[in-house]
Structure formats: C-alpha cells, structure tokens
Amino acid sequence: MQRRQALSTVCKLVGSSALGVWGGAAQAQSQGVSDSAIVLGQSGPFTGPSAQLGLQFHIGAQLYLEQVNAQGGVHGRRIEIKRLDDGYEPERCVANTKQFIADGVFALFGYVGTPTSLAALPVATAAKLPLFAPFTGAQALREPFNRYVIHVRASYFEETAAIVRQITSVGIKRVAVFYQNDAYGAAGLEGVQRALKTLDLEPAVVGTVERNSTDVTQALKDILAVKPEAVVQVGAYKACATFIRLARQQGYSGNFYNVSFVGTQALLDELGSVAKGVSVSQVMPFPYSPATPVSGEYLTALKDKRGLSPNYSGMEGFVAAKVLVEALKRAGRGVTREGFIDAIDGMKNVNLGGFPVDFGPQKHTGSRFVELTLLTEDGRVRR
C-alpha cells in the first residue's frame, strides 16, 4: 500500500516521465543494486587443504575495493562481497550459488577452481547472473562462448603451452604429468598433451591425485618408474608439494613445472628449501616489487596490513576487482546485469596499470599474458 502511494505521489509531482526513472531504479535494485551498495557473491575454499587459494584471492579483491569504497564507491555505491565456503567441493559450490541467487546478488565474483565453477555454471547461466573472474583457466568455461562468463586471466592451454615451450627448448622430451583427478586436472593434462602433440611428442607417463587429498603414493611410483626428465603438475599446493618432497627424498633431480592455480606462495611455503628446481607459470603481474603500476598499487595497499604478504593469488583478486570496478564505472549509475556485461564488451585494449585487457561482444577472456617464474630454496620467486 505504501509503495503504491509513493509511486502515485511521484507521478503527480513530476509527471509521467518519473515513472520510467523509478521503474529503472527498481529493476536495478532487484538485481543486487541498492542506492548505497552493489553486492557480489563469492564461493571458494576458505577452509580445508586449498584454503589459501580462496583466502588470498578474497583478500586481494578486498584490498582494492576498500580503497574504492573509501573514496565514495562507484557512482556513490559501495562494492561489497558476500562469501560462502565451499571447501573446493562442487556440490557445496552449487548450493552456495543457489543461495546467492536467492539473496539477489548482482554478480558472482572470484569463484575458485574448475570443478566448482563448472558445477555452478549452468545454475548461474539459467539465472542470467554474471560469473566474473573465476579463478580458473579451464577451456570448458571458455568454450562454447557464454555471455554470462567473464574471464580476466589467460587459459590453462596458454599456460601449458608456455611450459612445454620452455621444457622442450632445452632438449627435454621425456615429460611426465601429475594431475588432480577432476575437471581442473583434466584441463591441464589436455593442455600439456596438445602442446606436446605439436612437437610429435606425448606424456611419457601420467599420475593422479584426488581433489583435497595428498595421497600421492601410486602416482609417485608410476612416474618415477619411467625416470622422466621433467614433471608438469596440475594440482593444488598441498598435493603438489607432497609429491615434490617425496620425489626429492627418493633422489629425483628433474625440474617440476606448475600452472598458476597451484598457489605460488602457498606452494613455496609448503616446500621451504625443497623449492629449488620448481617453476610456476603466471598469468598476473609480478606482485613482489612495483614492476608495473598495478603491482605498486597492490603493494601500497598491503603496506599497512599487518600479517599480510604479497602473493600471486592476492594479486589476481586485486586485478579482478580493478577490472570489475572499471566496468561498473562504464556501466553508469543505472547499472543492471546486462548493462554491466555490455560495458565489459566495450573494454577494448584497456591498460589497467600495466595489465592490459581486451574484451568484446564475443571475446570474454581479457588477457593472454603468461610468464614463467622460478621458486628458490631461500623462499623467493624469481622471474
């Protein structure tokens, strides 16, 4: 009753044109946008053996959004993230996604992992809910093209191609693959196979580990039996670190290569002095020095945060939030979900502090940047 009276009063005071304005505002508010806030939903592993991936991405995003909110937000609205723990399990991620839909969030942000993001994808798409900057490089989230999925990072195919180029450039041909037995691991394995095939090669042997497990006994036995010259790993940091430690204990001296999702700093922390000879492909700017303007922004934001150190997962969250805010600015005060996606489509060749992104109506992967880094036994990451 009060709502009808308010609408009637508006129409009498300023004419029928106000009805369209009020209706547009009501539509925006029904999509997770209020007069004072835009609310996002993030599902990720905030507990369990992969927790550092979710926690660090979230912290990085919050660092950037805190700065934006302190300056008045975007068009007068704060950007807020609701987060729900899924433990890196697809079923829990689906339940979280349904909860976010029921809560009326504006978009899903920074989902962590391939199996979880894939499980949430049909639910989000059916609701026409943007899935922005999932922390995964899986091709299955990129093909076929989906208007409601927006990637900031390069793909696993691009990462594994860079890894294989590096390995084979020094004459190595006998390559093993240790991968997580799920959609994430399968995506990485396929990437390695595709890259090797262009050179008329194939993996010498493969070994698997279950998600959220560190039982690598059989994989270690199978892989070391063929004496590979290098091992490409596609897993989370605890399982990969366990494999590396045990392989070194058994005398294996070859190099290990990981894709970015492993969690570089978390892997380094797990390995300690055993990190020597381990490489990680990266899809984000170097976070440990102000090598780019955005790296400098990230380090400045971290300066007064006790107990927090720079890392690639945090940088990815920071960059994802920066791209999101840029799109929201372009979408304007009357932003809707569809208008937000249209704004992203218009972000062609946009340089965000040394991290260029290039989107389009049929191009929802903003970056193809990949570089390899080397972990050192004294706890550092070298480019």
Side-chain angles (χ1 to χ4, degrees):
M1 180 66 178
Q2 291 177 339
R3 182 176 175 179
R4 287 199 299 270
Q5 289 175 340
L7 178 57
S8 176
T9 300
V10 169
C11 291
K12 288 176 182 177
L13 286 174
V14 295
S16 60
S17 63
L19 181 59
V21 174
W22 186 90
Q27 181 187 27
Q29 290 184 12
S30 71
Q31 294 188 335
V33 180
S34 69
D35 286 340
S36 59
I38 296 175
V39 182
L40 312 172
Q42 183 185 16
S43 182
F46 301 116
T47 60
S50 301
Q52 286 303 311
L53 301 176
L55 291 171
Q56 295 302 331
F57 187 104
H58 182 82
I59 289 169
Q62 288 288 71
L63 284 174
Y64 187 76
L65 294 180
E66 283 175 7
Q67 293 181 333
V68 171
N69 291 338
Q71 296 170 3
V74 179
H75 300 299
R77 296 186 179 101
R78 291 177 52 82
I79 313 300
E80 301 175 357
I81 303 176
K82 288 184 177 182
R83 76 179 198 188
L84 292 174
D85 183 22
D86 60 34
Y88 196 25
E89 293 294 348
E91 298 80 6
R92 292 173 64 183
C93 184
V94 169
N96 290 349
T97 303
K98 291 178 179 178
Q99 183 62 55
F100 287 139
I101 292 171
D103 292 344
V105 301
F106 175 74
L108 307 176
F109 173 82
Y111 270 39
V112 178
T114 300
T116 44
S117 298
L118 279 175
L121 180 62
V123 180
T125 301
K128 296 186 176 181
L129 190 62
L131 178 59
F132 185 88
F135 188 3
T136 166
Q139 208 67 19
L141 285 155
R142 290 163 164 77
E143 295 177 356
F145 174 82
N146 186 325
R147 172 172 167 81
Y148 296 98
V149 186
I150 300 97
H151 303 277
V152 172
R153 55 155 40 228
S155 73
Y156 292 144
F157 282 2
E158 288 159 332
E159 288 191 65
T160 50
I163 288 171
V164 169
R165 281 196 301 271
Q166 174 63 29
I167 292 173
T168 56
S169 69
V170 294
I172 290 175
K173 295 183 178 180
R174 196 163 63 254
V175 180
V177 181
F178 169 73
Y179 69 100
Q180 190 168 289
N181 188 27
D182 63 7
Y184 160 50
L189 173 62
E190 183 183 357
V192 175
Q193 290 171 326
R194 286 167 60 112
L196 286 173
K197 189 175 182 179
T198 64
L199 302 170
D200 293 324
L201 298 173
E202 62 182 23
V205 63
V206 299
T208 65
V209 63
E210 298 302 314
R211 181 175 58 249
N212 285 336
S213 169
T214 57
D215 182 3
V216 303
T217 305
Q218 189 60 49
L220 189 71
K221 180 180 178 181
D222 293 344
I223 289 175
L224 294 189
V226 304
K227 299 180 179 179
E229 297 169 276
V231 180
V232 179
Q233 298 185 298
V234 189
Y237 56 92
K238 281 191 176 292
C240 290
T242 300
F243 187 99
I244 294 167
R245 267 197 312 272
L246 293 175
R248 293 298 192 222
Q249 288 173 12
Q250 295 189 32
Y252 180 72
S253 59
N255 287 346
F256 291 92
Y257 294 83
N258 285 263
V259 296
S260 60
F261 184 78
V262 71
T264 305
Q265 190 62 48
L267 179 65
L268 188 57
D269 292 343
E270 289 281 333
L271 289 173
S273 61
V274 188
K276 183 178 180 181
V278 178
S279 294
V280 184
S281 58
Q282 309 293 353
V283 296
M284 288 289 137
F286 191 71
Y288 300 101
S289 70
T292 61
V294 71
S295 299
E297 289 179 45
Y298 172 62
L299 290 170
T300 298
L302 270 174
K303 189 177 297 183
D304 298 325
K305 304 292 184 181
R306 288 186 177 182
L308 296 182
S309 301
N311 60 82
Y312 273 103
S313 299
M315 173 61 86
E316 184 154 352
F318 191 88
V319 168
K322 189 175 180 71
V323 177
L324 174 105
V325 166
E326 178 63 24
L328 288 173
K329 288 178 179 178
R330 291 169 179 244
R333 174 71 182 174
V335 62
T336 62
R337 290 171 180 161
E338 297 297 333
F340 169 68
I341 296 172
D342 289 342
I344 292 167
D345 291 347
M347 291 175 62
K348 300 180 185 298
N349 298 313
V350 177
N351 193 323
L352 297 174
F355 186 80
V357 293
D358 183 33
F359 293 101
Q362 293 294 316
K363 184 177 184 295
H364 277 188
T365 297
S367 170
R368 299 187 65 184
F369 168 78
V370 179
E371 70 175 2
L372 263 61
T373 55
L374 184 67
L375 309 189
T376 67
E377 57 189 321
D378 59 351
R380 291 184 295 172
V381 182
R382 291 172 47 196
R383 301 174 73 184

